Amino acid sequence: MEYNPQEIEKKWQNYWLENNSFEPSDDTKKDKKYILSMFPYPSGRIHMGHVRNYCLGDAFARFFRKSNFNVLHPIGWDSFGMPAENAAIKHKLHPKKWTYENIDYMRKELHGLGLSFSKNREFATSDELYTRWEQEFIIKMYEEGLLYKKSTTVNWCEPCHTVLANEQVEDGGCWRCGTPVEQKEMPGYYVAITKFAQELLDDLKDLEGSWPSQVLTMQENWIGRSEGLEFSFELTKDARYKLNKNFASFDVFTTRPDTIYGVSYTALSPEHPIVKYLVENELLDENKLNKIKAMQKVSERDRSIMPKEGVSLELDVLHPLTGKTIPVWVANFVLVSYGSGAVMAVPAHDQRDFEFAQEYDLPIEQVIVGKEGLISNMREAYTEPGTLINSEGFTNLDNKKAQKAIIYHFEQNSFGTKKINYKLRDWGVSRQRYWGAPIPFVHCDSCGLVPEKLENLPVALPEDVEITGEGNPLDNHPTWKHTSCPKCGKPALRETDTLDTFVQSSWYFLRYATNNKKWNSVGISKEDSDYWMDVDQYIGGIEHAILHLLYSRFFTKALNKLGYTNSKEPFKRLLTQGMVLKDGAKMSKSKGNVVDPDKIVEKYGADTARLFMLFAAPPTKELDWNDSAVDGAFKFIKRFTAKVEMAQGISIDEINSIDHDSLTKEEKEARKKVYEALQKSNEVFSKTYAFNTLIASSMEALNALNAQDNKIVWAEGYYILTNILEPIIPHLCWELSNELFELKNFNNDVKVKEEVFVSDTITIAITINGKKRAEIEVSPSASKEEVLLIAKEASSKWIDGKEIIKEIVVPNKLVNLVIKG
């Protein structure tokens, strides 16, 4: 049989489409599997990263479908976002037109790969129906105190008149126009993810063994739980007067209360209220004010990698235990977003504090010593465990014990309290752009901030907008924002901010789990969610390990709290696939190393592309594109097709009645290799994900089949190999199965037959004085004496004329002869 991929693949893709072959059943009594790959942004064309991701997901979906599971394997489009607006400016197209034309094209590309997606559950997150339910969730979160509005410092580009995400700030400038970015205080909407910080942390334990440990660690570090002491530094009398008695103290949080006697200065963030007051009222000299203003213009992310800088605020505070005066500085390394935006600085025991103290010639006072004792002329901070010195009544205590003792002392004397802090910050979801889901609130002079009525949802985007890149198109629209208050009916203004696109990707899996027949009436069906959730296998890139996965986990918990789902964790198992590289580098147009999936499919067929993607490397590892390896995958498929005549005319009954004992050695070896591949298949899909080893086993099996000419053994080989390779090269396997077995072999009920692993002979190694010299084949029932006799004959050239002083036989494995002379 000649292999014609274009003909075969078109035939079966049409068949699957016409027969709704991949739609999940409404029968909720069946065991289910929910297989999901992270959905794509419709940028215009799929890339090799997409191909790898979706081939992996499709392999799982097809495997479990054959195992008689009810399989949900959906696809959709993460379709809101800034790239559509950039394309609108560049090509003078409406973002909606650009987006949906891209979806149409990419859908055809994915279809051409033979991916077994549900057609009926496909949607784009920019669909108004999706927005309608998302807006309802946002309103319910607001009513439950899980969403709120506040003013905070943001990255601001004045020429573009927009807020920029940290990722859109490049070298301190706007990614679009290059203008230096300002730090500006603006009102925005925030999701209270910090209310779930401990739950998000605790539930990571339930994912151990099912999620990559690297991802769990990244999430744990991002949440950043720390226990410590919170207390206040009282301002001196002079400092209070300088601040016109507007401030009496400020709070700090420390995880190292054992070092409190080593505090030699305190530092405030550039945005701290005291610092802002000093700047606004010009209470420092011009040089200092300019330095602070410059710090305030730099984003927190950029500050974190800059050299340590600071300015003395000419204020002092009192040490809470000793009463000594301590200077107050502003420092660029102190973040307003963590704790209270103020820190106690202990340069002798914190490297960052040490570097700052050296830069500005501030005291360094060691209060913990190790075995070497007090260090003179410290060159770096001492951060090892040790014993307290110069710490009043806590001197000579082990520093770990001292932490608890000092916290207890503070609490007993009402100086401070034990506190848990998190690095995790509430999630700002406001974006000043057009192509996003409108935030469903109205600003009323009489009623304040008012949610839109649910019956008025969705608040849809106006289509008659001009995207210029300057300002917010919704704010600039002549009529759209003008409305009436849902509460009092008076004229009011719509909120013109739209939602961060991470919001859409934080609940889409729950939408898929809702039967599409219910989409108009509910956003999430609790009944359907109870059946389908949680996602059994989630697949996507490691670059989403923190934000997307964390936000999805949070949203699931929040929607659980709001009564929309009983699920608390969205994804049971997670596979993070490695990137696809070319010549050792990430594929990019600028490097000229992009491989076009369409051209690969056109030249070799989709099955070859799929086979290469799953064979070239384990899925969690990086895959380096190799043209010759693609050609090798194509040649294997051609060889597999070419031998089909060897299996024709054999019934399944004949296959099931093979007499293994009557077969030749080559025939037995072929059956053994085929069943080894079957064993590997079950192991790969349930445990290892090592598809490359399954494909390698299948190639070995085909080679072993080629070494014999028994047509019934060939037919059995095709019966099993087309079954186990169907998740990987589905078009060809359906074609061959239809040709040979009328599509009756696609099930995972094929059992491994132990008879094929019973060997007529066993191979035993012969070693002379511990060095391997030969191998022999003997009957498994051969006696020790028979084995020794055959071993001596096989190794005669090494033992003739020598005295054998010891004979060691390890049954079924080894003979070692120890000789002398």
Side-chain angles (χ1 to χ4, degrees), residues 145-389:
L146 297 180
L147 182 133
Y148 60 92
K149 192 173 186 183
K150 72 170 183 178
S151 288
T152 190
T153 303
V154 295
N155 303 312
W156 178 258
C157 175
E158 184 57 37
C160 294
H161 207 68
T162 188
V163 169
L164 302 175
N166 283 337
E167 293 73 21
Q168 295 167 330
V169 180
E170 297 176 354
D171 298 323
C174 171
W175 68 314
R176 182 180 281 159
C177 69
T179 303
V181 170
E182 301 174 33
Q183 296 298 294
K184 182 176 180 180
E185 187 160 303
M186 284 185 63
Y189 294 87
Y190 289 81
V191 170
I193 190 172
T194 52
K195 289 187 176 182
F196 291 80
Q198 192 59 50
E199 189 177 342
L200 286 164
L201 195 60
D202 290 343
D203 289 353
L204 289 174
K205 294 183 180 67
D206 297 332
L207 302 174
E208 289 176 2
S210 301
W211 280 35
S213 57
Q214 177 189 7
V215 175
L216 297 177
T217 299
M218 291 165 78
Q219 292 236 339
E220 186 177 338
N221 291 341
W222 189 265
I223 296 167
R225 185 184 194 272
S226 56
E227 295 183 15
L229 172 67
E230 185 176 79
F231 65 94
S232 296
F233 277 117
E234 299 292 330
L235 288 158
T236 63
K237 186 177 179 180
D238 288 345
R240 291 201 299 271
Y241 275 110
K242 182 168 183 174
L243 295 168
N244 298 315
K245 298 185 179 179
N246 283 292
F247 302 90
S249 63
F250 57 82
D251 295 334
V252 296
F253 171 79
T254 179
T255 59
R256 294 293 308 275
D258 51 321
T259 66
I260 196 162
Y261 286 93
V263 176
S264 63
Y265 66 96
T266 65
L268 307 179
S269 74
E271 298 82 14
H272 192 281
I274 289 177
V275 178
K276 289 167 79 172
Y277 184 85
L278 288 166
V279 172
E280 288 166 5
N281 292 277
E282 299 182 346
L283 299 177
L284 298 168
D285 67 52
E286 187 176 356
N287 184 45
K288 287 187 174 183
L289 291 173
N290 289 337
K291 284 184 179 178
I292 295 171
K293 288 175 184 177
M295 280 186 212
Q296 292 172 337
K297 289 181 179 180
V298 180
S299 69
E300 285 191 352
R301 188 179 69 166
D302 288 341
R303 278 188 225 155
S304 66
I305 58 175
M306 290 172 63
K308 309 295 180 288
E309 290 183 359
V311 173
S312 168
L313 296 178
E314 300 167 18
L315 301 172
D316 291 310
V317 291
L318 300 173
H319 191 289
L321 299 182
T322 68
K324 292 180 180 177
T325 60
I326 300 169
V328 183
W329 286 65
V330 60
N332 65 348
F333 63 77
V334 184
L335 306 181
V336 72
S337 60
Y338 181 68
S340 60
V343 298
M344 70 175 212
V346 187
H349 304 292
D350 182 283
Q351 188 61 27
R352 179 199 61 190
D353 297 348
F354 180 86
E355 291 169 8
F356 190 90
Q358 281 201 318
E359 178 71 23
Y360 295 103
D361 197 26
L362 295 165
I364 298 174
E365 300 170 7
Q366 188 176 358
V367 292
I368 297 174
V369 294
K371 292 178 181 178
E372 67 279 8
L374 199 64
I375 302 170
S376 58
N377 299 320
M378 293 185 85
R379 295 184 179 180
E380 61 181 4
Y382 178 79
T383 56
E384 298 299 315
T387 305
L388 265 62
I389 61 170

Side-chain angles (χ1 to χ4, degrees), residues 442-450 485 488 490-493:
V442 168
H443 300 274
C444 174
D445 288 339
S446 299
C447 306
L449 187 67
V450 183
C485 175
C488 70
K490 292 179 182 178
L493 293 176

